[in-house]
Amino acid sequence: MKNTNRFEFQKTMLEKGADELQRHISRLDEILSKIKAGCITVWIALIGWAFSSNNTEMVSLGAIVIIGFWLLEGFFRGLQARYLAASAKLTEFLNDKTALDNSFESLEFPANVVYPMTFSESESTKFRMYWRGLSALSTSVFYLFLVFVNYLLWVF
């Protein structure tokens, strides 16, 4: 006879893990919004200071501010991509009728599905996720636009 208590525990932890994944993804969305807002605030303050002091050479520092915030956002966006990948894996399992039926018949969930909150990627995988965060359209378009505007302000 199979141990139904263990299966019920795993099922509860699966539910908690799914909730936790969504909570982390949402929290990282908030952090990413704050990073963008911080970038705009610091960049506008720098540009305002440069023009109010008639020192347009300071505008070039705006590119450093923009790139710094871009690197920071890339890090957090890479973290979020890891949580999104775990969520996609969980969703794939939950939508796979055969796998789900097998789990309920055998009273056993597959490995790494129950409460998938730990990540054990290699450094190269972490770097790929960081690069993915930097190059995501929602990240790169925003910062490239700011770099372009900063360049125009510096040249003219």
Side-chain angles (χ1 to χ4, degrees):
M1 180 164 167
K2 299 283 184 180
N3 186 351
T4 58
N5 289 337
R6 182 177 186 279
F7 181 72
E8 287 301 318
F9 175 73
Q10 281 188 319
K11 191 170 76 168
T12 300
M13 294 308 290
L14 176 78
E15 292 168 0
K16 289 180 184 277
D19 289 341
E20 195 69 16
L21 282 171
Q22 292 308 311
R23 194 174 64 77
H24 280 290
I25 291 167
S26 295
R27 186 175 58 87
L28 286 166
D29 272 338
E30 291 174 22
I31 290 170
L32 292 167
S33 294
K34 289 177 182 179
I35 290 171
K36 277 188 169 79
C39 177
I40 292 290
T41 302
V42 172
W43 181 71
I44 287 176
L46 179 69
I47 298 301
W49 184 23
F51 285 118
S52 68
S53 65
N54 289 328
N55 186 357
T56 55
E57 292 300 313
M58 285 177 51
V59 173
S60 62
L61 294 176
I64 295 170
V65 169
I66 294 165
I67 291 169
F69 277 99
W70 190 355
L71 293 172
L72 182 64
E73 184 167 341
F75 173 77
F76 282 100
R77 185 123 351 237
L79 282 176
Q80 187 182 45
R82 293 163 71 190
Y83 285 105
L84 289 169
S87 180
K89 182 179 175 183
L90 182 59
T91 301
E92 181 182 328
F93 165 72
L94 293 173
N95 287 320
D96 184 346
K97 183 180 178 343
T98 305
L100 201 56
D101 287 346
N102 289 341
S103 290
F104 275 86
E105 286 174 22
S106 67
L107 297 178
E108 185 73 35
F109 286 107
N112 300 321
V113 171
V114 176
Y115 209 78
M117 295 306 302
T118 58
F119 300 110
S120 57
E121 294 103 357
S122 65
E123 291 300 315
S124 64
T125 301
K126 289 177 186 176
F127 182 76
R128 267 196 342 262
M129 295 303 241
Y130 178 62
W131 180 252
R132 185 175 160 191
L134 283 174
S135 61
L137 282 178
S138 59
T139 306
S140 58
V141 169
F142 174 77
Y143 291 102
L144 287 173
F145 175 74
L146 284 181
V147 166
F148 177 69
V149 171
N150 194 82
Y151 174 75
L152 291 177
L153 291 172
W154 185 48
V155 172
F156 299 110

